[in-house]
Amino acid sequence: MMTFRTRYMIAVGTYADRGFTLMPVAGKSVPPIGVTGSTGRDIDTDDVSRWSNHPDPAYNNVAIRHTRTIAIDVDEGYGNKDGVAQLAKLAERNRLPALPATYSSTARGAGSGSRQYLYRVPSGEAVDAATRLKSNPCPSVEVCYRNHRFTVAFPSKHPDTGDVYHWYLPGDAGTPPSWGDVCTDENGGEVPEVSALAELPREWWTFLSTNRQMQNPHADRIAVTGEDDLLALFRPAHPEVEAAPLRRIRETVDTLSHVGHDTFFAQGLACLEHGVEGVPGAGELYQGLKSRCADYLDSVGRPADELPRMVDEIVDRVQRRLTWRECIGMTGSGEPVYRSTGLTFTR
């Protein structure tokens, strides 16, 4: 008789009743294979049955696989993380409205600004494997959605501190919002309904959804090349000046302890996009990110084909995007100078 019950087994029914899709995770960063990221399939009833009836004790935390929701993950108050100030500056710089009060989740306690704020995707917007949002709008803030990361939540315990993740009631609107007390209901539970989450303002969704402006209606007519051939076309790094957009990527990644699946997908794709436009040094930075990702995936026992599959997808995707500009030089501070090239449908 099985007596061990994982947190997933305990919580999956409650989360499902409240509209969330739940999966087991090991610690806070190792999900089941094949159900995360843009290449991951949707979680189905067979997955739920398998994880419930044949649990792996190593996967004793739970996480939300975002489908109709997204989370704005603000890192604050540890290391060099200052996501609260960064998010406020981002909103001011881009003239974005205050974020509405909503439910949030953290394992760092009621006084910590380091937390994830969960929102419903705006009505009328669909999220699928092709959706691309800005996953790192600033160094200490990430956006978690179907194709990037997930949200570890109650009743999970933080793998480093042992502290329990808790849900918190909404406070007041702001950038970021404030929060209230720990969420509890009449049965002592604390999982909110998806319908009770605030809807992300349309202005924020538009700002984060820049990639949809770059969808190429002629993508199926483009002949793509492989990674090696694509990188061979890139310009080498300038010997004295680092390209500013690449520097921003490098500085973002330098704050991370590792380069995992989602980080490499987002930042590796960005490097290749800059390389296609002719920004010097994109290939070298891309290769460095790929090497760090390979080391990390190997250290946590991920499948050997995970990185090659990611590479194939981002190399294919970057070549099927619209091209508007070409880098023809850089300023003294490393900002690229572009020349518009119009729409490119074939190569």
Side-chain angles (χ1 to χ4, degrees):
M1 177 180 297
M2 181 178 64
T3 58
F4 177 78
R5 299 187 71 205
T6 63
R7 297 186 182 102
Y8 177 82
M9 297 166 64
I10 295 169
V12 62
T14 299
Y15 275 88
D17 289 344
R18 285 157 172 74
F20 291 102
T21 299
L22 204 66
M23 63 183 180
V25 291
K28 58 180 290 188
S29 59
V30 184
I33 295 171
V35 294
T36 59
S38 61
T39 61
R41 57 180 171 76
D42 292 335
I43 293 172
D44 58 27
T45 55
D46 289 340
D47 295 315
V48 174
S49 176
R50 183 174 66 258
W51 297 332
S52 298
N53 296 319
H54 304 283
D56 182 341
Y59 287 73
N60 195 26
N61 275 342
V62 301
I64 293 167
R65 171 82 190 280
H66 292 284
T67 53
R68 298 181 293 146
T69 56
I70 73 168
I72 296 179
D73 184 3
V74 179
D75 288 334
E76 176 70 25
Y78 63 97
N80 60 351
K81 305 294 187 180
D82 60 342
V84 170
Q86 290 178 19
L87 189 64
K89 290 179 181 177
L90 178 77
E92 180 181 8
R93 184 168 61 249
N94 293 280
R95 299 181 179 180
L96 298 171
L99 288 165
T102 192
Y103 289 86
S104 61
S105 173
T106 184
R108 296 185 181 274
S112 176
S114 187
R115 59 185 57 231
Q116 291 195 17
Y117 300 88
L118 275 77
Y119 292 94
R120 286 180 289 114
V121 171
S123 59
E125 298 291 348
V127 179
D128 56 27
T131 302
R132 288 293 174 271
L133 304 180
K134 290 181 177 178
S135 56
N136 282 105
C138 36
S140 296
V141 177
E142 284 194 74
V143 175
C144 308
Y145 67 107
R146 182 198 183 279
N147 300 327
H148 180 71
R149 291 188 52 194
F150 41 82
T151 295
V152 178
F154 176 85
S156 300
K157 291 186 177 181
H158 194 286
D160 298 329
T161 65
D163 294 326
V164 176
Y165 286 81
H166 288 290
W167 286 98
Y168 288 80
L169 294 166
D172 296 320
T175 313
S178 63
W179 57 92
D181 295 331
V182 171
C183 176
T184 58
D185 62 23
E186 63 275 12
N187 297 315
E190 60 169 87
V191 181
E193 299 271 357
V194 166
S195 60
L197 304 177
E199 182 174 288
L200 187 74
R202 184 73 56 179
E203 296 91 337
W204 279 87
W205 181 262
T206 300
F207 169 73
L208 294 172
S209 302
T210 54
N211 285 341
R212 66 176 169 181
Q213 301 172 17
M214 304 179 73
Q215 296 294 328
N216 191 340
H218 302 271
D220 59 348
R221 292 168 49 189
I222 295 178
V224 299
T225 188
E227 179 191 37
D228 291 341
D229 291 335
L230 181 65
L231 292 174
L233 301 175
F234 288 8
R235 294 175 179 171
H238 191 282
E240 298 177 359
V241 180
E242 181 181 22
L246 301 181
R247 181 175 66 248
R248 289 189 280 269
I249 293 174
R250 178 182 55 76
E251 289 174 347
T252 295
V253 174
D254 283 349
T255 67
L256 305 177
S257 61
H258 62 270
V259 174
H261 180 118
D262 295 331
T263 299
F264 176 68
F265 197 101
Q267 305 295 0
L269 178 62
C271 285
L272 293 187
E273 289 169 347
H274 290 305
V276 168
E277 291 181 336
V279 176
E284 290 94 324
L285 182 57
Y286 168 83
Q287 293 284 32
L289 295 177
K290 180 181 175 183
S291 178
R292 284 189 63 185
C293 183
D295 290 343
Y296 174 72
L297 294 179
D298 181 65
S299 71
V300 296
R302 301 297 290 177
D305 66 343
E306 182 168 345
L307 182 57
R309 286 191 290 109
M310 274 196 292
V311 167
D312 288 345
E313 181 172 353
I314 64 176
V315 166
D316 180 88
R317 180 168 296 171
V318 76
Q319 294 176 83
R320 297 185 189 276
R321 300 272 290 274
L322 288 174
T323 300
W324 291 289
R325 59 190 185 176
E326 175 187 4
C327 177
I328 58 175
M330 292 192 297
T331 67
S333 63
E335 292 293 344
V337 177
Y338 294 104
R339 175 177 62 200
S340 176
T341 61
L343 303 183
T344 299
F345 296 147
T346 58
R347 296 187 185 278

